[in-house]
Amino acid sequence: PELVLVPFEFLVTEFKEEDSPFYYDNKKYLIDEYAVSYSPSASIYILQKKMKQTNEDKILLVGDPQISDKDFALSYRGGLLEDDSFNARNIVLFPLKYSKEEIQNVNSLFSNGLTLLSNDATEQKFKENASQSSIIHLSTHSFLHKNQPLIIFSLDKNKKEDGYLESGEILQLKLNSDLVVLSSCRSGLGEIDEAEGVIGMQKAFFEAGAKSVVVSLWDVNDKYTSLFMRSFYKYISEGYDKSEALRKAKIFFKQNYSANPYYWSAFVLSGDVSKIQNVKTASSNYLLFILLGVFASIFAIYFARRKSSLR
């Protein structure tokens, strides 16, 4: 059953025998030749095949949750459970230094993004906007408590929610999203069932109505995750399908930042791999403004010449 936690794209397909096993630059991986995606179970595969996206084209970007005022030099997108039987959810979390930058970089690629950052990154505001979003991106903390995954949000001042998003709450969201990305530690983990695969956040989002989900299989570095997600959405904005966009992001990362599979293969895609429809990119708006400017100039020249001829 543990094979569901192995990303096949990091399997080595070519290497030099004289190279050290820990030398990654000269190795070729499955991802270099193929785009890889997964289906958590047969039931989820059938479910997502029947889905038809009729959603708005809004992109919901949530990140930089308010955790602590302490400054850590290195942070991971996970929580450290305290050994305290009296408070099952008493956790120590590191601040996410690069989460805000990640959200801003992704938002800059599109013209229809809604960002919830810092104090606005609450569970309540997420729930209010999730059902109207075609893409949902959560850049935050996640961790396992008694083998059940939780996603962390900023504490709501009105205390409508406790700031912990659980699988049961996700099932009530009634999503119609083309893509959900859980940009946090171990967001793809949970209890392993022989028939249904991993019972966790990924399965919950599918059953809530998501067509495809990107999750991580282990702890991910904050800075590297921010860089990786910027590349992934860049390829999405350029019109690549989800699986190919993720493949290109992994290849770009290992060529430009680190060839170590630990850093580039943690995130995997499950579900539908097709191209996201009706994505409004920032570049498309830029081109529209250019065209409008050209037409305005043509009309101005035309009317100026016509006016001069009437004289």
Side-chain angles (χ1 to χ4, degrees), residues 33-49:
E33 301 177 40
Y34 301 99
V36 182
S37 62
Y38 305 85
S39 183
S41 66
S43 61
I44 294 297
Y45 177 80
I46 295 172
L47 177 65
Q48 62 92 15
K49 282 294 183 182

Side-chain angles (χ1 to χ4, degrees), residues 81 84-85 87-89 143-150 190-191 199:
L81 288 177
D84 184 351
S85 59
N87 187 354
R89 288 189 177 177
F143 66 95
L144 292 176
H145 168 60
K146 295 183 178 180
N147 225 20
Q148 297 300 317
L150 299 171
E191 183 179 356
I199 309 296

Side-chain angles (χ1 to χ4, degrees), residues 127-161:
K127 289 180 177 179
E128 290 172 353
N129 291 279
S131 61
Q132 297 90 38
S133 303
S134 61
I135 297 177
I136 296 174
H137 182 88
L138 300 180
S139 173
T140 180
H141 283 292
S142 61
F143 66 95
L144 292 176
H145 168 60
K146 295 183 178 180
N147 225 20
Q148 297 300 317
L150 299 171
I151 297 177
I152 304 298
F153 290 83
S154 297
L155 187 62
D156 193 339
K157 293 181 179 179
N158 297 322
K159 296 184 178 180
K160 294 181 180 179
E161 303 286 350

Side-chain angles (χ1 to χ4, degrees), residues 12 14-29:
V12 177
E14 186 178 324
F15 66 96
K16 294 181 179 180
E17 293 185 2
E18 63 270 20
D19 286 344
S20 165
F22 303 103
Y23 185 71
Y24 306 104
D25 290 336
N26 287 341
K27 291 182 174 65
K28 286 191 176 181
Y29 301 88

Side-chain angles (χ1 to χ4, degrees), residues 280-303:
K280 295 180 180 179
T281 63
S283 59
S284 63
N285 275 0
Y286 180 70
L287 290 174
L288 178 61
F289 287 135
I290 291 177
L291 289 174
L292 289 174
V294 170
F295 282 120
S297 299
I298 292 173
F299 279 114
I301 294 172
Y302 170 76
F303 284 113

Side-chain angles (χ1 to χ4, degrees), residues 121-264:
T122 64
E123 184 181 0
Q124 179 66 26
K125 289 187 177 180
F126 164 73
K127 289 180 177 179
E128 290 172 353
N129 291 279
S131 61
Q132 297 90 38
S133 303
S134 61
I135 297 177
I136 296 174
H137 182 88
L138 300 180
S139 173
T140 180
H141 283 292
S142 61
F143 66 95
L144 292 176
H145 168 60
K146 295 183 178 180
N147 225 20
Q148 297 300 317
L150 299 171
I151 297 177
I152 304 298
F153 290 83
S154 297
L155 187 62
D156 193 339
K157 293 181 179 179
N158 297 322
K159 296 184 178 180
K160 294 181 180 179
E161 303 286 350
D162 62 2
Y164 299 92
L165 184 67
E166 305 176 46
S167 296
E169 294 176 289
I170 294 172
L171 293 173
Q172 301 173 23
L173 291 178
K174 297 181 180 179
L175 301 178
N176 194 19
S177 303
D178 205 343
L179 174 65
V180 173
V181 177
L182 305 182
S183 180
S184 59
C185 284
R186 294 165 282 173
S187 53
L189 303 189
E191 183 179 356
I192 299 178
D193 181 85
E194 291 185 359
E196 291 296 321
V198 178
I199 309 296
M201 288 291 177
Q202 180 178 245
K203 186 174 187 296
F205 274 106
F206 274 125
E207 294 187 357
K211 200 172 181 182
S212 58
V213 183
V214 172
V215 295
S216 66
L217 299 179
W218 52 75
D219 286 341
V220 291
N221 178 271
D222 185 22
K223 181 178 180 179
Y224 280 171
T225 298
S226 177
L227 294 170
F228 182 86
M229 289 300 169
R230 180 174 63 183
S231 294
F232 172 59
Y233 281 101
K234 173 181 175 291
Y235 291 118
I236 289 288
S237 70
E238 291 176 355
Y240 291 97
D241 66 54
K242 287 166 277 190
S243 183
E244 185 63 18
L246 191 63
R247 172 180 175 268
K248 284 184 171 294
K250 291 180 177 182
I251 292 174
F252 179 84
F253 188 93
K254 71 185 185 70
Q255 289 177 343
N256 292 274
Y257 299 109
S258 175
N260 188 337
Y262 176 83
Y263 294 108
W264 58 260

